Amino acid sequence: MRVMYVDQTGQLGGGELSLLDVIKHSPFHSEIVLFDDGPFRTALEDLNVPVHLLHGGSLSKVRSETRLKAVLEAGPAFFGLQRRLAKLTAGFDVVYANSQKAFLVSAATRRKGQLLIWHLRDMLTADHFSPMMRVIAVEASNLTASIVITNSQATADSFVQCGGKLEKVVVVYNGISPEPFDAVTETMKQSMLQELGLRGKYLVGVFGRLSPWKGQHILLEAIASLPYAHAVLVGDALFGEDSYVESLRQRAQAPDLEGRVHFLGFRKDVSLLMKCMNIIAHTSTSPEPFGRVIVEAMLAGRPTIASRAGGVLEIVRGNETGLLVLPGCPLDLSAAIQKYHAHPGLARRIADAGRERAINHFSVHAMADGIEEVLRNCMAREEMPILVDSL
Ligand code: UDP
């Protein structure tokens, strides 16, 4: 089977990191089209995956919250891209779209006999998409997608609630390898803490791109009243959220937080940094479709706190494998941090149970096997002759 993956971004977001693992473990011939250049391309080339760059032009201005005018303006760019993509995907059995824009362009290029997979990694809710973008995506998938793979039941539910066909959906959870976490030694940890000047501090880490809905500001407010706690922010703005980063930096300079907020930027050594934390918090203010960082925190064996919404509820069992808090509520987050701080035995028990759950439920092999099975089943179905019932 020849699979052409399509992704709209060259940045390394969660969807792209997950796709790297999918491709790494795929038994099929894989190539990829990107609508933008960036570190994702380098990571794919390191895996010897042929990368085709098709610049999206003004299509890059169309965002999830976009309304009609911007969509119409991007029309010529869309059709230009669609023509170039159609040439590249000729001769492939499967076109596998890893993001919404990639799916829409792929839907317009689908050939007879070719499978079109949409790996939907976003909640199709008002928090993330304008009504028009939701309608366009769902109608296009009902008409053209062979199957829609979602990263959680919550994402699947959001798709169906928007009118997506239930029979098209298969849930395949993200899988994450414990190996990079297990490779971290105490010496590596101590020298990293030394390098960062954070030895002996009580560290609450939040990992992920800096973006208003990822809620890093909630952590800052939560620790403002906890003088012993330091916030470590790992990640950067990936999709133009620079003014949010500026507001975080300004807030961090206020007297009640001064010297206790550490911005590390985008890092490739997430496993080592996670091991250095006392607690890892997930602070999204609106429902997270999956939340790789939560599984990673569990694999790192750290006690986690996560926002009680969306796919998170399929990962964390409250008070068992993590603490769940009200999204967007600094008071609740602050209380959870205090609970772990005051009860190290409880924190240890929850962290150990979290690690076990992450290993058992979110393995890379389960993800890769799940996706392979979906593709094989889809292909078999497509090749089956249509049987007409004779009365
Ligand atoms: N990440 C990273 N470096 C950073 C911050 C985050 O490699 O500095 C990774 C993180 O380890 C996780 C991914 O980015 O694997 C974020 O995925 P998640 O599902 O949490 O959020 P998304 O970006 O998909 O919304």
Side-chain angles (χ1 to χ4, degrees):
M1 221 189 279
R2 288 165 57 79
V3 184
M4 179 66 92
Y5 296 89
V6 189
D7 200 311
Q8 70 200 45
T9 181
Q11 297 297 333
L12 277 175
E16 288 65 41
L17 289 165
S18 172
L19 189 64
L20 282 173
D21 276 331
V22 171
I23 295 178
K24 205 189 292 181
H25 293 86
S26 167
F28 309 126
H29 171 82
S30 307
E31 298 189 25
I32 189 163
V33 176
L34 301 182
F35 297 165
D36 207 357
D37 203 357
F40 185 31
R41 175 177 59 81
T42 324
L44 287 156
E45 285 171 350
D46 288 345
L47 294 179
N48 292 321
V49 179
V51 181
H52 309 270
L53 270 184
L54 286 184
H55 283 288
S58 61
L59 197 65
S60 60
K61 292 197 193 111
V62 175
R63 299 205 171 271
S64 47
E65 66 281 5
T66 292
R67 293 178 196 282
L68 187 61
K69 187 167 171 281
V71 172
L72 293 178
E73 281 167 5
F78 180 92
F79 290 111
L81 201 56
Q82 178 252 333
R83 271 195 302 276
R84 287 178 289 150
L85 183 66
K87 277 194 196 137
L88 282 172
T89 55
F92 280 79
D93 305 295
V94 182
V95 176
Y96 190 113
N98 196 50
S99 61
Q100 191 188 19
K101 236 181 275 177
F103 168 67
L104 290 175
V105 183
S106 304
T109 68
R110 189 182 176 187
R111 287 184 162 73
K112 215 165 169 256
Q114 197 171 50
L115 294 185
L116 173 59
I117 311 291
W118 181 16
H119 199 138
L120 173 58
R121 299 174 178 277
D122 297 306
M123 300 274 279
L124 288 181
T125 56
D127 293 328
H128 298 288
F129 292 95
S130 68
M132 190 186 62
M133 292 306 282
R134 277 179 279 161
V135 169
I136 293 175
V138 165
E139 289 306 322
S141 80
N142 285 348
L143 284 173
T144 64
S146 313
I147 213 85
V148 178
I149 298 175
T150 65
N151 54 2
S152 67
Q153 188 58 50
T155 303
D157 292 346
S158 75
F159 172 78
V160 174
Q161 273 157 22
C162 284
K165 288 185 180 165
L166 178 64
E167 64 273 20
K168 292 220 174 194
V169 185
V170 179
V171 178
V172 179
Y173 287 120
N174 278 330
I176 294 162
S177 167
E179 277 168 32
F181 299 90
D182 296 347
V184 176
T185 62
E186 190 55 31
T187 319
M188 286 159 76
K189 207 176 114 176
Q190 291 310 326
S191 62
M192 176 52 75
L193 285 168
Q194 181 76 29
E195 189 186 311
L196 296 171
L198 295 175
R199 265 185 114 147
K201 309 256 190 307
Y202 194 83
L203 304 177
V204 186
V206 64
F207 291 72
R209 62 198 152 92
L210 304 182
S211 169
W213 80 271
K214 289 288 184 180
Q216 284 86 0
H217 58 289
I218 303 295
L219 177 61
L220 302 199
E221 296 314 324
I223 66 150
S225 57
L226 306 174
Y228 58 84
H230 285 241
V232 181
L233 273 51
V234 181
D236 208 345
L238 293 187
F239 304 114
E241 299 98 340
D242 299 324
S243 59
Y244 179 63
V245 180
E246 193 41 44
S247 72
L248 289 173
R249 287 190 182 279
Q250 278 190 9
R251 177 67 187 91
Q253 282 164 13
D256 57 348
L257 283 174
E258 209 179 352
R260 293 198 290 125
V261 182
H262 312 276
F263 292 86
L264 303 195
F266 185 87
R267 303 280 300 221
K268 287 190 166 171
D269 50 356
V270 162
S271 46
L272 171 56
L273 291 168
M274 281 193 168
K275 286 272 198 177
C276 293
M277 301 297 128
N278 294 87
I279 296 175
I280 295 171
H282 161 263
T283 52
S284 293
T285 54
S286 51
E288 184 78 55
F290 181 80
R292 287 170 58 85
V293 287
I294 302 166
V295 176
E296 290 166 347
M298 290 155 88
L299 288 173
R302 311 319 300 151
T304 55
I305 304 172
S307 289
R308 192 190 297 119
V312 172
L313 301 177
E314 295 157 58
I315 302 173
V316 177
R317 292 183 189 284
N319 296 320
E320 242 180 76
T321 61
L323 296 180
L324 292 170
V325 294
L326 199 61
C329 179
L331 265 183
D332 218 15
L333 180 57
S334 178
I337 295 171
Q338 287 184 71
K339 190 167 176 177
Y340 277 146
H341 183 250
H343 304 284
L346 172 87
R348 188 67 271 143
R349 271 197 305 284
I350 288 185
D352 289 346
R355 187 176 147 78
E356 204 181 315
R357 180 161 168 79
I359 288 172
N360 292 335
H361 288 81
F362 302 103
S363 79
V364 172
H365 289 289
M367 171 181 73
D369 291 352
I371 290 176
E372 184 184 337
E373 194 186 327
V374 169
L375 296 194
R376 288 195 192 281
N377 286 346
C378 254
M379 193 51 93
R381 202 178 58 195
E382 208 86 348
E383 281 169 0
M384 237 167 42
I386 298 165
L387 302 173
V388 182
D389 281 345
S390 47
L391 294 171

